[in-house]
Amino acid sequence: AGKLLSECFANMLDQNTEQALTFEDVEEAMTRMGWCRERGNEQRDTDQSNATLVNILPSTVNVQIPFNRLAEPIEEALFARGTASSDFDDHDQPLHLLMYSALLHLPQDIRALCVSRLIFTGGISNTPGLKTRLMQELEVLITKRGWDAVKNYGSAQGKRGKHFERNGEKKEMPFDMESNSVKFAEEPK
């Protein structure tokens, strides 16, 4: 994730300067000036988003970038903004989907315990706003999908009714798709 983030940040900086930037310059700018938006916030205050930063690098390279653009590489690299979900495989996913997948594979009784004790490490974990955004994205995923490992029921989606036909007579379905539980028939008296 850090390498892709560095590449995205370098591409953004290269668009705003004619001089070649070293890896150290890109890392310095990313560490000092990179930030992460909150979920749903396309722009911060208009005063901040319209402000232009001059000399964001300590070297002789002069780079002028609007403040709100400094969050775009993180959106692209860590949250895959603008990428269709069909383009991801099981192991190359945005960071919040990887967190959700890891939590989904844990036993049900310890998920809540683990969610409250998530630890972020590495160089990019110090990016302002990143931890808050990851937790917001995780909360949205849990609210939207719940803890159901099945993403799509496919053709079974239309069979979610309460009854099905067998030999011309309607009977109640033995499996409740909403609660993922089996309904046992009562024994005749």
Side-chain angles (χ1 to χ4, degrees):
K3 182 178 178 182
L4 179 60
L5 180 58
S6 295
E7 289 173 6
C8 291
F9 217 92
N11 290 339
M12 182 196 61
L13 292 175
D14 287 341
Q15 293 172 359
N16 293 288
T17 184
E18 289 86 34
Q19 298 175 343
L21 298 173
T22 65
F23 178 76
E24 289 78 20
D25 287 338
V26 172
E27 285 288 314
E28 178 71 22
M30 186 174 68
T31 303
R32 291 178 51 217
M33 303 304 291
W35 63 283
C36 184
R37 290 185 182 102
E38 288 186 14
R39 180 173 166 67
N41 268 355
E42 286 305 313
Q43 291 186 348
R44 287 205 173 217
D45 304 316
T46 50
D47 296 338
Q48 288 181 342
S49 64
N50 292 330
T52 301
L53 302 176
V54 181
N55 287 333
I56 64 170
L57 297 171
S59 65
T60 59
V61 179
N62 185 8
V63 181
Q64 297 180 359
I65 299 175
F67 183 74
N68 64 344
R69 293 233 19 237
L70 294 171
E72 290 176 4
I74 291 177
E75 294 283 326
E76 184 181 335
L78 301 182
F79 299 103
R81 182 187 65 180
T83 306
S85 60
S86 60
D87 292 341
F88 305 129
D89 63 14
D90 290 342
H91 302 288
D92 184 25
Q93 296 181 356
L95 200 51
H96 60 287
L97 290 177
L98 287 173
M99 289 172 48
Y100 176 74
S101 178
L103 289 167
L104 194 59
H105 286 87
L106 292 174
Q108 196 171 17
D109 57 340
I110 64 168
R111 284 183 193 147
L113 183 69
C114 291
V115 168
S116 65
R117 289 181 170 84
L118 288 173
I119 298 173
F120 301 96
T121 63
I124 61 174
S125 67
N126 293 325
T127 302
L130 180 62
K131 295 171 193 157
T132 303
R133 173 69 182 272
L134 285 170
M135 294 307 289
Q136 289 171 342
E137 293 287 345
L138 187 60
E139 182 180 354
V140 167
L141 279 172
I142 293 169
T143 303
K144 181 179 172 183
R145 295 184 184 175
W147 292 111
D148 191 2
V150 179
K151 293 179 186 174
N152 186 353
Y153 284 98
S155 63
Q157 190 75 21
K159 299 176 184 174
R160 295 181 77 163
K162 298 288 183 193
H163 301 281
F164 69 98
E165 288 190 36
R166 180 181 288 168
N167 299 332
E169 77 181 72
K170 289 188 176 188
K171 297 190 176 191
E172 193 173 328
M173 288 185 73
F175 184 78
D176 182 12
M177 298 289 276
E178 296 295 325
S179 65
N180 292 337
S181 61
V182 176
K183 296 178 186 176
F184 295 101
E186 294 181 18
E187 292 184 26
K189 295 181 182 178

